[in-house]
Amino acid sequence: MMRGLREKGSAPVTDSIKTAKPEKDYSIYFQPPSYREAKKRGKEDVRVHYDFRIADDLRTIGRGKLYHIQTYGCQMNEHDTETMKGMLEEMGYAWTDHRREADIILLNTCAIRENAEDKVFGELGHLKSLKTEKPDLILGVCGCMSQEEGVVRRILEKHQYVDLIFGTHNIHRLPELLREAMFAKEMVVEVWSKEGDIYENLPKKRAGLKAWVNIMYGCDKFCTYCIVPYTRGKERSRRPEDVIAEVRELARQGYKEITLLGQNVNAYGKDFEDIHYRFGDLMADIQKIDIPRVRFTTSHPRDFDDHLIEVLSRGGNMVEHIHLPVQSGSNEILKRMSRKYTRESYLELVRKLKAAIPGLVLSTDIIVGFPGETEEQFEETLSLVREVEFASAFTFIYSPREGTPAAQMEDNVPLEVKKERLTRLNNLIAELSRKDNEKLHGQTVEVLVEGVSKNNPDYLTGRTRTNKIVHFRGPESLTGELIDVRITEVQTWLFKGEIATLHALEA
Ligand code: SAH
Ligand code: SF4
Ligand code: F3S
């Protein structure tokens, strides 16, 4: 938490910190994430704001000007970018793909692993010459890295050509912050540690036929390796009526697929004090809305309750794919990660899910080389992966994050060993993916057409309900349609097929 910007329990501090003097001691403003401090957070203080509006004088400020946002990290960040796009376009700015012609460039950053941060610092280095050539360019850094003390200090000291830094809790302030950055001679920094608020009615600029919908923000799980509870604040759920109204509107606009977003969607509603309404209830309500596909990410194994399983088993627009991060197959490592489930309870949950949902496809996240992970413990991960038969996985080498408990743990596993474990794990996942894909050979599956394949312009690309990629020949006009495709060729990460029937024509 970043002390100094907010006294605990008080209203958020709205002052920006402005400075151009790198020799100043900024430690009074920022502190590295503190496990003990952050865990004290309470349920008090969640306020929902419905009164967002862009000031009249800012509504035309961007006319004739261009912006570019570079997004790193997870869907949460991608969706925040859509919100920032929405605000900028209401201010008259237009998007450009070319950074050289942009009047505003924002880097929406991710802090999850060190290499994510390295990329951003590399990019900032590249942008320095552009900023020198074009002094009126507004260069901003936002997203999860901005919530970290060390990062803000490094930018203040080494990248003074940056005009604006703002945190994940300050996105709704973008229009005002841009005004400040335009007229200030100094770097504008606004990072609130305020974690309890929800801002409704922010404009959003979505693209394509799939839409993300936040159902909650923040995370209170405090897995010992993870920075997210510090960069995204405490767990807080959007009110059901606000989520449902947004999904209804998306259905009305013709979206074919939505993905409900949260760091731990199964904890949805646990923070409501006035109503008993959980993720299963929300899914049951969304099931009634006329939108063909509903996904959610990410679900934590710990809060996956039987009501939710029952709702998912009803099918309809609830797809047969669940992303269920396991992180490790070793009870000892899971304990040290503070994941609060065991190998056995995870496997039991998988058994229940597979029994309830025919054709279920599971994917996962796995960390290898957690501090002190032994060869036997790693092999327990391999055996769990084999037992569950995950169809795909995001796999990572553990990366220490400053201020998190795991960063203090002794790590005696050499990087070479970690890399070798990652390769072995990835080989196994590839083998399982291929095996899972074989099941569909010759079958006809429903595909949502996404458009012409970037890698292979002769083909259209689309996804199955289980989120697998299918390439097939057909007219581009099918983009956005749900069609039936017969699988003719199986590869490790994709299928090739041919059009069987058109749902749209059948209807
Ligand atoms: N909320 C989600 C995960 C969000 S982060 C969940 O709990 O499932 C996405 C993934 O990044 C995590 O699942 C984890 O596998 C990985 N990750 C998080 N912190 C990491 C770290 N310090 N080093 C390596 N991988 C990490
Ligand atoms: Fe990080 Fe996910 Fe754990 Fe939250 S639940 S601390 S986001 S890994
Ligand atoms: Fe990265 Fe922040 Fe998402 S740290 S993974 S962008 S929540």
Side-chain angles (χ1 to χ4, degrees):
M1 292 218 303
M2 293 176 189
R3 207 199 49 183
L5 294 179
R6 174 194 172 223
E7 293 296 319
K8 206 168 171 41
S10 67
V13 174
T14 54
D15 288 345
S16 304
I17 305 161
K18 291 180 193 166
T19 181
K21 300 194 189 94
E23 68 278 11
K24 200 166 152 187
D25 177 11
Y26 295 103
S27 57
I28 54 163
Y29 301 121
F30 299 105
Q31 281 196 335
S34 156
Y35 185 63
R36 208 177 299 131
E37 279 299 309
K39 281 213 107 171
K40 281 193 217 147
R41 60 172 65 140
K43 284 188 175 175
E44 76 284 353
D45 247 12
V46 177
R47 280 183 295 159
V48 188
H49 302 261
Y50 292 95
D51 54 358
F52 175 84
R53 69 179 295 280
I54 295 174
D56 290 339
D57 64 317
L58 292 175
R59 292 189 158 267
T60 49
I61 201 165
R63 269 194 201 152
K65 293 187 178 166
L66 301 172
Y67 75 95
H68 182 89
I69 307 179
Q70 200 143 322
T71 312
Y72 303 82
C74 64
Q75 291 99 330
M76 207 70 73
N77 255 18
E78 298 275 356
H79 190 42
D80 284 347
T81 291
E82 293 180 339
T83 305
M84 293 192 283
K85 283 182 168 179
M87 285 190 271
L88 289 169
E89 301 206 0
E90 285 202 2
M91 296 166 76
Y93 290 97
W95 170 266
T96 174
D97 284 332
H98 308 289
R99 299 193 312 193
R100 298 214 129 262
E101 51 183 55
D103 300 283
I104 297 178
I105 298 177
L106 299 177
L107 303 184
N108 190 8
T109 63
C110 170
I112 201 82
R113 284 168 292 274
E114 199 179 345
N115 56 8
E117 300 202 352
D118 290 346
K119 272 191 222 155
V120 170
F121 280 113
E123 208 53 62
L124 274 181
H126 294 145
L127 288 167
K128 184 176 183 178
S129 54
L130 194 57
K131 178 73 194 173
T132 318
E133 276 170 41
K134 227 177 140 176
D136 287 342
L137 167 70
I138 300 280
L139 177 57
V141 177
C142 56
C144 288
M145 280 171 70
S146 310
Q147 295 287 144
E148 289 183 285
E149 178 256 358
V151 168
V152 174
R153 200 195 322 250
R154 185 165 158 190
I155 296 175
L156 286 166
E157 286 169 1
K158 301 214 175 106
H159 304 272
Q160 288 164 45
Y161 50 92
V162 168
D163 300 285
L164 171 64
I165 306 177
F166 60 101
T168 56
H169 304 305
N170 308 72
I171 288 177
H172 63 287
R173 296 256 310 140
L174 177 60
E176 299 292 338
L177 292 172
L178 278 176
R179 186 210 318 253
E180 284 188 47
M182 268 170 216
F183 299 111
K185 300 227 163 13
E186 303 160 318
M187 195 189 300
V188 173
V189 182
E190 184 175 281
V191 181
W192 293 346
S193 65
K194 170 73 179 161
E195 354 180 82
D197 283 6
I198 292 178
Y199 294 87
E200 291 294 341
N201 305 331
L202 301 183
K204 291 183 177 121
K205 172 122 199 292
R206 293 180 161 104
L209 37 123
K210 303 202 267 189
W212 286 302
V213 178
N214 283 122
I215 63 166
M216 57 190 303
Y217 303 96
C219 181
D220 282 347
K221 292 293 168 284
F222 292 97
C223 302
T224 55
Y225 50 81
C226 185
I227 194 83
V228 172
Y230 313 95
T231 62
R232 291 278 172 176
K234 74 178 175 190
E235 248 166 47
R236 54 214 191 273
S237 307
R238 285 180 72 196
R239 300 296 299 182
E241 56 277 17
D242 294 333
V243 175
I244 289 166
E246 185 172 351
V247 175
R248 284 221 177 96
E249 175 56 22
L250 292 168
R252 198 192 58 76
Q253 291 174 15
Y255 282 91
K256 296 284 173 32
E257 178 176 309
I258 58 163
T259 303
L260 305 175
L261 289 183
Q263 288 301 344
N264 171 14
V265 291
N266 300 335
Y268 177 80
K270 281 188 155 184
D271 52 329
F272 294 149
E273 283 173 349
D274 55 335
I275 47 170
H276 183 92
Y277 187 92
R278 295 287 165 80
F279 189 51
D281 300 307
L282 182 69
M283 290 300 264
D285 280 338
I286 290 178
Q287 206 160 36
K288 296 176 204 144
I289 299 176
D290 187 15
I291 208 149
R293 292 179 176 186
V294 179
R295 304 185 186 282
F296 54 91
T297 197
T298 301
S299 49
H300 193 296
R302 183 171 146 193
D303 297 311
F304 219 115
D305 62 41
D306 287 346
H307 178 225
L308 175 61
I309 298 177
E310 192 271 314
V311 173
L312 297 179
S313 74
R314 294 180 208 158
N317 57 8
M318 310 270 120
V319 298
E320 304 70 41
H321 170 227
I322 300 176
H323 187 65
L324 194 64
V326 66
Q327 314 299 356
S328 167
S330 149
N331 281 337
E332 174 56 29
I333 297 288
L334 287 171
K335 199 163 154 202
R336 281 199 276 131
M337 289 177 161
S338 196
R339 289 290 287 182
K340 307 276 168 54
Y341 54 83
T342 60
R343 174 190 178 95
E344 292 73 27
S345 65
Y346 185 93
L347 288 170
E348 172 57 16
L349 174 61
V350 166
R351 191 196 58 73
K352 275 204 256 179
L353 287 168
K354 285 187 174 173
I357 307 168
L360 177 68
V361 163
L362 287 165
S363 57
T364 198
D365 291 349
I366 295 169
I367 296 176
V368 303
F370 189 74
E373 183 192 62
T374 63
E375 172 62 22
E376 290 72 37
Q377 287 165 339
F378 170 67
E379 282 172 17
E380 288 181 76
T381 298
L382 292 180
S383 75
L384 178 131
V385 167
R386 214 174 259 291
E387 199 166 331
V388 176
E389 298 187 312
F390 291 113
S392 65
F394 295 109
T395 55
F396 312 100
I397 290 182
Y398 167 73
S399 169
R401 307 283 61 214
E402 192 193 343
T404 60
Q408 310 295 322
M409 296 177 191
E410 197 197 341
D411 190 359
N412 56 3
V413 190
L415 184 61
E416 280 316 304
V417 173
K418 295 186 185 204
K419 284 186 180 164
E420 183 253 354
R421 284 181 191 164
L422 186 69
T423 308
R424 282 158 70 198
L425 176 62
N426 286 343
N427 289 345
L428 174 59
I429 304 275
E431 176 194 321
L432 293 174
S433 172
R434 170 115 207 172
K435 190 170 147 197
D436 194 65
N437 287 353
E438 291 290 352
K439 292 180 198 157
L440 289 189
H441 203 175
Q443 308 256 335
T444 298
V445 291
E446 180 200 274
V447 170
L448 176 56
V449 186
E450 294 184 351
V452 175
S453 162
K454 285 201 183 83
N455 304 331
N456 195 344
D458 294 340
Y459 285 84
L460 295 178
T461 182
R463 286 195 186 246
T464 64
R465 281 170 65 92
T466 52
N467 216 23
K468 298 188 178 198
I469 300 169
V470 186
H471 287 181
F472 52 96
R473 287 180 197 276
E476 199 179 341
S477 58
L478 287 178
T479 303
E481 300 290 343
L482 285 163
I483 63 170
D484 279 344
V485 173
R486 203 173 63 82
I487 301 298
T488 52
E489 186 186 324
V490 172
Q491 300 179 6
T492 302
W493 303 117
L494 60 83
F495 298 103
K496 286 203 173 146
E498 55 196 27
I499 296 174
T501 55
L502 228 59
H503 284 214
L505 294 182
E506 282 174 349

